[in-house]
Amino acid sequence: MKVKVISRSTDVFLRETKQQIHKVFRNYDPDLHPFETAREYTRALNAVKLERVFAKPFLGNLDGHRDSVSCIAKHPKQLSTIVSGAFDGEVRIWDIPRRVCLRQFVAHNGIVRGITYTPKGLKFITVGDDKTVKTWNAAEPQLGEDEEPVNTVLSKTVITAISHHRQKAIFATAGEVVQLWEESRNEPLRTYQWGVDSLHDIAFNMVEANIFAACASDRSIILYDTRDNGPLRKVVMKLRPNKMAWNPMEAFTFTCANEDYNLYTFDTRNLNKPVNVHMDHVAAVTSVEYAPTGKEFVAGSYDKTIRIFECDHGHSRDVYHTKRMQRLTCVHWSLDNKFIISGSDEMNIRIWKARASEKLGPLRPKERNALQYAEALKCKFASHPEIKRIKRHRHVPKHVYNAQRELRTIKEKEKRKEANKRAHSRKGTVPHVPERQKHIIKEVQ
Amino acid sequence: MARIRTPKKSVNKTQKAGNKPEEKVQNLRVNKGSKKYNLPKELVEKYAKGNGVNLKKVHTKIHKKKIEEKEKQIKFAAQVAAQTEVLLTEQEGHLEAGDGETTTQFTQSEIREHVDLTAAAKTFELKLEFGPYRSKYTRNGRHLVIGGRKGHVAAFDWVTKRLHCEMNVMESVHDVSFLHVETMFAVAQKNWVYFYDNQGIELHCVKRLNKVTRLEFLPYHFLLTSCSDEGYLSWLDVSLGQIVSQVNTKLGRLSMLTHNPWNACLCLGHAKGVVSMWSPNSREPLAKMLCHKAPLTAVHVDPSGMYMATAATNSEVKIFDVRKLEGPVQEYKLISSAGHVAFSQKKMLALGMGNIVEIYRDCCTQAAKRPYLRHRLNSSIGNFNFCPYEDVLGVTTAKGFTSLLVPGSGEPNFDTYEVNLFQSKKQRQEAEVKALLEKIQPEFITLDPFAIAEVDTPTLADKLEAKNKLLHLKPPKVKYEAKNKAKGKGGSANMARNKKIVQEAATKEFVKASRQLQPAEKTKPQPYHVLNRFA
């Protein structure tokens, strides 16, 4: 007779001293882990609820400006530094982690229209309504020295925007005409004109660094090349694009923030039809900027909200708002992909988390694993109605809510009217126009 | 996209695997390194997650690619899980007879002599006077609660023999059950169900559970289920204290209750030889199985939810495949009828006949010739349970409680995160919170526990039914409240007329809406005729 029964000795299964952690024994036999799917679903539901519970994106604000913030520039090398310009001509340099203003001075007579850092971050250049382009040292002046620009250039025309080349010491300005400048010269290298009376935004491509584009007041976006004498191409839209941003990872993609409440992502190779139309704002979109990953972008609008979009999605992933935040003038995505900086009409600069429920600071391995597991579960059960509903639900201010409803009825009405028209006309006289083509007038070579 | 995946282990497959002792070795390449792991096919099948998505039915390229990637990951996870089997530390128990011996002839005292002291201490006998008794173990098998018909209730840690509480409730006790932790247990007394903590303090008395005969606890759903003398079946959510559902089964007195640990459905045995399966979501049984042509005496489902054993008064015992609701897989004819059946974690089957317990090994996939063990008690059996994660069968009788050693009946390796056998108080509290957080909603109790992961597509029959229902609906009654009119403008006649107008408008709209649902009648294009234009 041979016999063996289960007999567990406690010293194998219990920890020896209280300083040790508890011993863990695993057995992955599926029979010991019943209701796998139902439990995973419950965990996913909890995870998605917790995500909404922890969604507290607002981190803090930088106040000090005495007029609305007009523009902001990020330091290309330091995450903690930004410089902002205001409508009263004042420029301030901020330390974000401490939330203090490091320097402040009046740079221009009139509105500061644009700011940009030089690629190494040693200097920054401002343009203002006084037709001047001023270069400033990024380092604080010595004790007793006055705040003086390193260089001041008086332009012949009004300047409303500025953008710096990614590597070279050249920058471009927009205004009555587009001008290309060398940092060390006081005359523009080149001037571009295409029968337009004014341009209001300009941006250099970050991958194909010689390409840049500008938004013009004739509702067009014009592409330029620094190596060329004239502009390349333009696309004319039904309503004015306010601002544009290049995708930092895809050279040929850019997004423009439009007056018609939408954002349009274009492929430069085919401008007569946008790749995607991003809807959700309920007022003119005033600013847009890409995340450094190139997968998402943030848009600020006249409807007092910030929305975050995924590049390939037509609707926003998140919306940020506060009671006191007014019309947005500029938004930026920090270079570590974690924060969003917004400047608005009521003189404040705000700092937000890029992912509303993300935990900041270092994570313990266990914590990280748990979060990754939750993320995977949410992804797995994303299409379940309950989970989808909770994940999508956002509270928006009353005016936005009402405006959304109004827009919806307007759109429904238009759709219905078109359908009626189509039903009562000869076949083919009222064609279906896709949403992507509705807002474009033409592409001009 | 929701995954569609139902690991339905068919009995036939396992049977095949059981019959073939030579293992087909499958070569599995894990990672891209040079290491090759040889896993037996059985092992891979045990951890496999089913066939996965039929890629031929996925039309878009990108989704096909995505699903393919996911399938790969799932397969890899299953392989890795199968590989962890080598890390398991404990060995299964076993009992082997020598030449000319059978395992049936070994008595408990012989087994006790041949095992170590700690294991030998697991056999004991309690002589009690308030019987017949009933007992239940906790989920980790450390604690035991017993209740005698004459009111004696006791809870204790049976391994250390430390008594938690002992009392006489001064009423008849019909059944006892632990809740999710060992600090609380429920007792079905003469009229109502009472809850006690481990000090014997009465926590609750649930008067809505009336004349309960049997109690079962569903640990993942936090549901205490009970069946009553009056034919009621009820599910009580112990985390909220609410009755989730109470159903009149209309099947008379209920005295056989067990739950299927695989899908949390309740199985009731009836005198007509039928086993009915219930979920709290329907007033009707989900399934009914005619198992015997004689009144049933006992029903039990094995812990993996694959087999169901039923015993009837015609001294038959049958084993069914409860996942497919098919069977019987095995049929046994005994000398006398079995009054009790119980499965162990390793699918051993205990049968109770009068005062004799017989235990069968490998009785589901093949016909067992003779019992594995037999034990005669000195009085008739009340009930018995295999202790989870131990080689122990706890038998209650009319005159006490006996703990028997059954080598090889229990799962030797436990999972700390699921059930911890060596739990400290802090760990228990933590685990309780975790378990409550992932409490499964009672709506998920269905015959197929993977239903939640399936794509919800209404069948054609469902669609037609919904449409027909809508067509034969009555138009909704409009609640009309007249506005307060100026004096002289209103009047009851006016009001009645207005009400009629509103009701008629609503009816019109309703008819219009329901007409849209009907398929448009297809008119055949008539052959052209010159005179058609004047038609």
Side-chain angles (χ1 to χ4, degrees), chain B residues 484-503:
Chain B
N484 287 330
K485 291 266 169 72
K487 205 175 176 188
K489 302 271 181 185
S492 58
N494 272 345
M495 220 160 83
R497 201 185 58 211
N498 286 344
K499 190 178 174 181
K500 205 176 168 189
I501 289 168
V502 171
Q503 177 67 55

Side-chain angles (χ1 to χ4, degrees), chain B residues 43-209:
Chain B
L43 202 61
V44 176
E45 224 166 60
K46 179 179 168 189
Y47 288 93
K49 301 257 175 178
N51 297 331
V53 179
N54 184 2
L55 281 174
K56 276 184 188 165
K57 289 195 174 174
V58 183
H59 296 304
T60 40
K61 229 181 197 175
I62 186 160
H63 286 114
K64 202 175 237 178
K65 191 88 194 163
K66 271 184 186 172
I67 291 169
E68 243 171 45
E69 282 299 309
K70 222 178 213 174
E71 287 297 329
K72 259 187 210 163
Q73 282 179 0
I74 288 163
K75 235 174 215 170
F76 176 68
Q79 278 173 24
V80 173
Q83 281 165 31
T84 59
E85 196 114 307
V86 295
L87 300 173
L88 298 179
T89 51
E90 296 291 296
Q91 295 289 318
E92 219 173 289
H94 60 88
L95 174 63
E96 281 168 30
D99 290 336
E101 289 176 321
T102 55
T103 51
T104 322
Q105 73 190 59
F106 299 132
T107 60
Q108 284 294 311
S109 57
E110 276 176 307
I111 293 170
R112 203 181 313 141
E113 275 166 25
H114 284 82
V115 296
D116 57 319
L117 272 178
T118 43
K122 285 172 187 167
T123 60
F124 61 95
E125 194 171 348
L126 301 175
K127 283 179 184 152
L128 308 161
E129 327 172 333
F130 298 94
Y133 278 87
R134 290 189 64 82
S135 70
K136 222 156 260 177
Y137 288 103
T138 51
R139 216 149 63 87
N140 61 8
R142 277 294 293 248
H143 306 269
L144 185 68
V145 61
I146 55 170
R149 174 59 58 85
K150 287 173 196 148
H152 176 211
V153 174
F156 54 98
D157 181 339
W158 69 271
V159 180
T160 58
K161 315 285 188 300
R162 197 167 56 83
L163 188 69
H164 295 318
C165 68
E166 186 173 23
M167 61 195 158
N168 197 324
V169 294
M170 307 302 282
E171 265 184 344
S172 61
V173 168
H174 298 274
D175 202 1
V176 286
S177 177
F178 272 115
L179 302 190
H180 54 286
V181 283
E182 70 265 17
T183 54
M184 280 184 279
F185 58 89
V187 180
Q189 294 180 17
K190 187 187 163 202
N191 280 331
W192 306 309
V193 174
Y194 290 76
F195 290 80
Y196 297 94
D197 73 354
N198 61 348
Q199 290 169 306
I201 298 166
E202 184 187 318
L203 300 174
H204 302 286
C205 164
V206 181
K207 294 191 177 173
R208 284 192 64 192
L209 301 181

Side-chain angles (χ1 to χ4, degrees), chain B residues 3 8 51 54 97 118 137 199 223 291 318 436 445 521:
Chain B
R3 280 202 44 74
K8 278 179 185 148
N51 297 331
N54 184 2
T118 43
Y137 288 103
Q199 290 169 306
L223 293 175
C291 298
K318 287 185 187 174
L436 275 167
I445 301 180
E521 281 174 33

